[in-house]
Short mmCIF file of all heavy atoms in Angstrom, two decimals:
data_model
loop_
_atom_site.label_atom_id
_atom_site.label_comp_id
_atom_site.label_asym_id
_atom_site.label_seq_id
_atom_site.Cartn_x
_atom_site.Cartn_y
_atom_site.Cartn_z
N VAL G 170 0.85 -1.23 -0.05
CA VAL G 170 -0.02 -0.02 -0.03
C VAL G 170 0.86 1.26 -0.06
O VAL G 170 0.60 2.22 -0.71
CB VAL G 170 -0.96 -0.01 1.19
CG1 VAL G 170 -1.70 1.35 1.32
CG2 VAL G 170 -2.00 -1.13 1.07
N ARG G 171 1.92 1.27 0.79
CA ARG G 171 2.82 2.40 0.84
C ARG G 171 3.56 2.58 -0.50
O ARG G 171 3.95 3.66 -0.85
CB ARG G 171 3.79 2.27 1.95
CG ARG G 171 3.20 2.43 3.34
CD ARG G 171 4.22 2.48 4.44
NE ARG G 171 3.65 2.66 5.76
CZ ARG G 171 3.31 1.64 6.55
NH1 ARG G 171 3.60 0.38 6.21
NH2 ARG G 171 2.69 1.90 7.69
N GLY G 172 3.60 1.51 -1.24
CA GLY G 172 4.27 1.64 -2.53
C GLY G 172 3.34 1.96 -3.66
O GLY G 172 3.68 1.95 -4.84
N GLY G 173 2.08 2.32 -3.33
CA GLY G 173 1.11 2.78 -4.27
C GLY G 173 0.12 1.71 -4.80
O GLY G 173 -0.67 2.01 -5.70
N ARG G 174 0.21 0.53 -4.23
CA ARG G 174 -0.78 -0.51 -4.63
C ARG G 174 -2.02 -0.40 -3.81
O ARG G 174 -2.10 0.18 -2.78
CB ARG G 174 -0.18 -1.95 -4.34
CG ARG G 174 1.35 -2.12 -4.80
CD ARG G 174 1.47 -2.14 -6.29
NE ARG G 174 2.91 -2.37 -6.56
CZ ARG G 174 3.34 -3.41 -7.27
NH1 ARG G 174 2.51 -4.34 -7.73
NH2 ARG G 174 4.66 -3.58 -7.53
N GLU G 175 -3.13 -1.01 -4.35
CA GLU G 175 -4.33 -1.16 -3.56
C GLU G 175 -4.55 -2.67 -3.34
O GLU G 175 -4.34 -3.50 -4.26
CB GLU G 175 -5.51 -0.67 -4.45
CG GLU G 175 -5.48 0.85 -4.66
CD GLU G 175 -6.59 1.34 -5.49
OE1 GLU G 175 -7.09 0.63 -6.36
OE2 GLU G 175 -6.93 2.55 -5.30
N VAL G 176 -4.82 -3.04 -2.10
CA VAL G 176 -4.85 -4.43 -1.71
C VAL G 176 -6.17 -4.76 -1.04
O VAL G 176 -6.64 -4.05 -0.17
CB VAL G 176 -3.68 -4.83 -0.76
CG1 VAL G 176 -3.70 -6.37 -0.47
CG2 VAL G 176 -2.32 -4.44 -1.43
N ILE G 177 -6.75 -5.92 -1.41
CA ILE G 177 -7.99 -6.44 -0.76
C ILE G 177 -7.64 -7.80 -0.26
O ILE G 177 -7.07 -8.64 -1.06
CB ILE G 177 -9.16 -6.44 -1.71
CG1 ILE G 177 -9.61 -5.03 -2.09
CG2 ILE G 177 -10.36 -7.20 -1.07
CD1 ILE G 177 -10.68 -5.02 -3.12
N MET G 178 -8.01 -8.13 0.98
CA MET G 178 -7.79 -9.47 1.53
C MET G 178 -9.04 -10.26 1.53
O MET G 178 -10.05 -9.76 2.08
CB MET G 178 -7.14 -9.35 2.95
CG MET G 178 -7.09 -10.71 3.72
SD MET G 178 -5.91 -11.87 2.97
CE MET G 178 -4.38 -11.26 3.54
N VAL G 179 -9.01 -11.48 0.95
CA VAL G 179 -10.11 -12.42 1.14
C VAL G 179 -9.62 -13.54 2.04
O VAL G 179 -8.75 -14.27 1.69
CB VAL G 179 -10.59 -12.93 -0.21
CG1 VAL G 179 -11.68 -14.02 -0.06
CG2 VAL G 179 -11.20 -11.83 -1.13
N SER G 180 -10.20 -13.64 3.18
CA SER G 180 -9.65 -14.54 4.20
C SER G 180 -10.65 -15.58 4.58
O SER G 180 -11.80 -15.33 5.09
CB SER G 180 -9.21 -13.78 5.46
OG SER G 180 -8.65 -14.70 6.45
N SER G 181 -10.24 -16.88 4.49
CA SER G 181 -10.95 -17.94 5.10
C SER G 181 -10.64 -18.02 6.56
O SER G 181 -9.85 -17.19 7.05
CB SER G 181 -10.54 -19.28 4.42
OG SER G 181 -10.88 -19.31 3.05
N GLY G 182 -11.22 -18.93 7.29
CA GLY G 182 -10.82 -19.21 8.70
C GLY G 182 -11.91 -19.00 9.72
O GLY G 182 -11.64 -19.40 10.85
N ALA G 183 -13.05 -18.43 9.33
CA ALA G 183 -14.06 -18.16 10.44
C ALA G 183 -14.60 -19.48 10.97
O ALA G 183 -14.71 -19.58 12.21
CB ALA G 183 -15.18 -17.31 9.81
N ILE G 184 -14.96 -20.40 10.13
CA ILE G 184 -15.53 -21.67 10.61
C ILE G 184 -14.50 -22.41 11.39
O ILE G 184 -14.72 -22.98 12.45
CB ILE G 184 -16.11 -22.50 9.49
CG1 ILE G 184 -17.31 -21.81 8.94
CG2 ILE G 184 -16.46 -23.91 9.93
CD1 ILE G 184 -18.00 -22.50 7.77
N ALA G 185 -13.24 -22.46 10.87
CA ALA G 185 -12.18 -23.19 11.50
C ALA G 185 -11.87 -22.62 12.92
O ALA G 185 -11.65 -23.32 13.86
CB ALA G 185 -10.87 -23.20 10.65
N GLU G 186 -11.84 -21.26 12.98
CA GLU G 186 -11.63 -20.63 14.22
C GLU G 186 -12.76 -20.81 15.20
O GLU G 186 -12.58 -21.08 16.40
CB GLU G 186 -11.34 -19.13 14.08
CG GLU G 186 -11.32 -18.23 15.33
CD GLU G 186 -10.19 -18.64 16.26
OE1 GLU G 186 -9.30 -19.44 15.86
OE2 GLU G 186 -10.16 -18.12 17.39
N GLY G 187 -13.97 -20.87 14.70
CA GLY G 187 -15.18 -21.13 15.52
C GLY G 187 -15.08 -22.50 16.13
O GLY G 187 -15.40 -22.77 17.26
N MET G 188 -14.71 -23.45 15.31
CA MET G 188 -14.53 -24.86 15.73
C MET G 188 -13.52 -24.89 16.92
O MET G 188 -13.74 -25.58 17.94
CB MET G 188 -14.05 -25.80 14.61
CG MET G 188 -15.12 -26.02 13.51
SD MET G 188 -14.43 -26.72 12.04
CE MET G 188 -13.45 -28.11 12.72
N LYS G 189 -12.44 -24.18 16.76
CA LYS G 189 -11.38 -24.23 17.83
C LYS G 189 -12.00 -23.62 19.12
O LYS G 189 -11.81 -24.14 20.21
CB LYS G 189 -10.22 -23.32 17.33
CG LYS G 189 -9.21 -22.90 18.40
CD LYS G 189 -8.44 -24.04 19.01
CE LYS G 189 -7.27 -23.57 19.78
NZ LYS G 189 -7.56 -22.43 20.77
N ARG G 190 -12.72 -22.51 18.99
CA ARG G 190 -13.21 -21.85 20.20
C ARG G 190 -14.34 -22.69 20.81
O ARG G 190 -14.53 -22.61 22.07
CB ARG G 190 -13.80 -20.41 19.81
CG ARG G 190 -12.70 -19.49 19.37
CD ARG G 190 -13.31 -18.13 19.17
NE ARG G 190 -12.21 -17.13 18.92
CZ ARG G 190 -12.30 -15.83 19.20
NH1 ARG G 190 -13.41 -15.36 19.74
NH2 ARG G 190 -11.28 -15.02 18.96
N LEU G 191 -15.11 -23.45 19.94
CA LEU G 191 -16.13 -24.30 20.55
C LEU G 191 -15.63 -25.70 21.04
O LEU G 191 -16.39 -26.51 21.54
CB LEU G 191 -17.23 -24.47 19.46
CG LEU G 191 -18.03 -23.23 19.19
CD1 LEU G 191 -18.83 -23.40 17.92
CD2 LEU G 191 -18.87 -22.74 20.34
N GLY G 192 -14.39 -25.95 20.79
CA GLY G 192 -13.76 -27.24 21.18
C GLY G 192 -14.11 -28.36 20.26
O GLY G 192 -14.06 -29.54 20.70
N TRP G 193 -14.46 -28.09 19.01
CA TRP G 193 -14.80 -29.23 18.05
C TRP G 193 -13.56 -29.64 17.32
O TRP G 193 -12.87 -28.79 16.76
CB TRP G 193 -15.82 -28.74 17.09
CG TRP G 193 -17.15 -28.33 17.76
CD1 TRP G 193 -17.55 -28.58 19.03
CD2 TRP G 193 -18.25 -27.61 17.12
NE1 TRP G 193 -18.79 -28.06 19.25
CE2 TRP G 193 -19.24 -27.43 18.05
CE3 TRP G 193 -18.41 -27.11 15.86
CZ2 TRP G 193 -20.46 -26.82 17.82
CZ3 TRP G 193 -19.60 -26.43 15.54
CH2 TRP G 193 -20.59 -26.26 16.51
N SER G 194 -13.27 -30.92 17.22
CA SER G 194 -12.05 -31.43 16.58
C SER G 194 -12.31 -31.75 15.15
O SER G 194 -11.33 -31.92 14.40
CB SER G 194 -11.61 -32.67 17.31
OG SER G 194 -12.59 -33.69 17.34
N SER G 195 -13.54 -31.86 14.69
CA SER G 195 -13.80 -32.15 13.31
C SER G 195 -14.92 -31.22 12.82
O SER G 195 -15.76 -30.80 13.58
CB SER G 195 -14.22 -33.63 13.11
OG SER G 195 -15.42 -33.96 13.86
N ARG G 196 -14.94 -30.96 11.50
CA ARG G 196 -15.90 -30.08 10.96
C ARG G 196 -17.31 -30.73 10.99
O ARG G 196 -17.46 -31.87 10.46
CB ARG G 196 -15.51 -29.77 9.51
CG ARG G 196 -16.43 -28.77 8.78
CD ARG G 196 -15.96 -28.60 7.31
NE ARG G 196 -16.88 -27.70 6.54
CZ ARG G 196 -16.53 -26.40 6.34
NH1 ARG G 196 -15.42 -25.90 6.75
NH2 ARG G 196 -17.41 -25.65 5.66
N PRO G 197 -18.33 -30.04 11.56
CA PRO G 197 -19.60 -30.60 11.64
C PRO G 197 -20.31 -30.63 10.24
O PRO G 197 -19.88 -29.90 9.31
CB PRO G 197 -20.37 -29.65 12.58
CG PRO G 197 -19.67 -28.38 12.43
CD PRO G 197 -18.20 -28.76 12.16
N HIS G 198 -21.38 -31.42 10.14
CA HIS G 198 -22.15 -31.53 8.87
C HIS G 198 -23.40 -30.71 8.97
O HIS G 198 -23.95 -30.28 7.88
CB HIS G 198 -22.39 -32.96 8.57
CG HIS G 198 -21.17 -33.73 8.30
ND1 HIS G 198 -20.39 -33.59 7.15
CD2 HIS G 198 -20.55 -34.71 9.03
CE1 HIS G 198 -19.40 -34.46 7.23
NE2 HIS G 198 -19.41 -35.15 8.41
N ALA G 199 -24.00 -30.57 10.13
CA ALA G 199 -25.27 -29.84 10.28
C ALA G 199 -25.09 -28.38 9.96
O ALA G 199 -24.17 -27.72 10.43
CB ALA G 199 -25.81 -30.00 11.69
N ILE G 200 -26.00 -27.80 9.04
CA ILE G 200 -25.91 -26.40 8.67
C ILE G 200 -25.91 -25.50 9.87
O ILE G 200 -25.09 -24.52 9.95
CB ILE G 200 -27.02 -26.11 7.68
CG1 ILE G 200 -26.80 -26.88 6.36
CG2 ILE G 200 -27.09 -24.56 7.46
CD1 ILE G 200 -25.54 -26.48 5.62
N HIS G 201 -26.80 -25.74 10.85
CA HIS G 201 -26.88 -24.74 11.97
C HIS G 201 -25.65 -24.75 12.79
O HIS G 201 -25.25 -23.76 13.37
CB HIS G 201 -28.13 -25.04 12.80
CG HIS G 201 -28.06 -26.39 13.52
ND1 HIS G 201 -28.45 -27.54 12.93
CD2 HIS G 201 -27.70 -26.73 14.77
CE1 HIS G 201 -28.23 -28.52 13.79
NE2 HIS G 201 -27.85 -28.08 14.90
N GLU G 202 -24.91 -25.90 12.87
CA GLU G 202 -23.66 -25.94 13.64
C GLU G 202 -22.57 -25.20 12.91
O GLU G 202 -21.74 -24.48 13.47
CB GLU G 202 -23.22 -27.34 13.86
CG GLU G 202 -24.21 -28.09 14.90
CD GLU G 202 -23.75 -29.48 15.20
OE1 GLU G 202 -23.07 -30.07 14.33
OE2 GLU G 202 -24.09 -30.03 16.20
N LEU G 203 -22.54 -25.33 11.53
CA LEU G 203 -21.57 -24.63 10.68
C LEU G 203 -21.82 -23.12 10.84
O LEU G 203 -20.88 -22.27 10.94
CB LEU G 203 -21.68 -25.00 9.25
CG LEU G 203 -21.16 -26.39 8.93
CD1 LEU G 203 -21.55 -26.87 7.52
CD2 LEU G 203 -19.61 -26.43 8.98
#
């Protein structure tokens, strides 16, 4: 950015971080849990 570029970040990780915070070791299949 300081060099004159424009940058947008697209970041995954919300579900994975939520699993960590909720203590889940594997990705759930139920939509409401996701």
Side-chain angles (χ1 to χ4, degrees):
V170 171
R171 290 190 179 92
R174 317 287 182 121
E175 296 177 331
V176 184
I177 294 175
M178 170 64 81
V179 176
S180 179
S181 299
I184 292 179
E186 170 63 10
M188 288 166 51
K189 164 69 166 49
R190 292 185 173 209
L191 292 168
W193 298 347
S194 59
S195 60
R196 185 184 178 98
H198 297 287
I200 292 296
H201 65 276
E202 291 181 336
L203 288 167

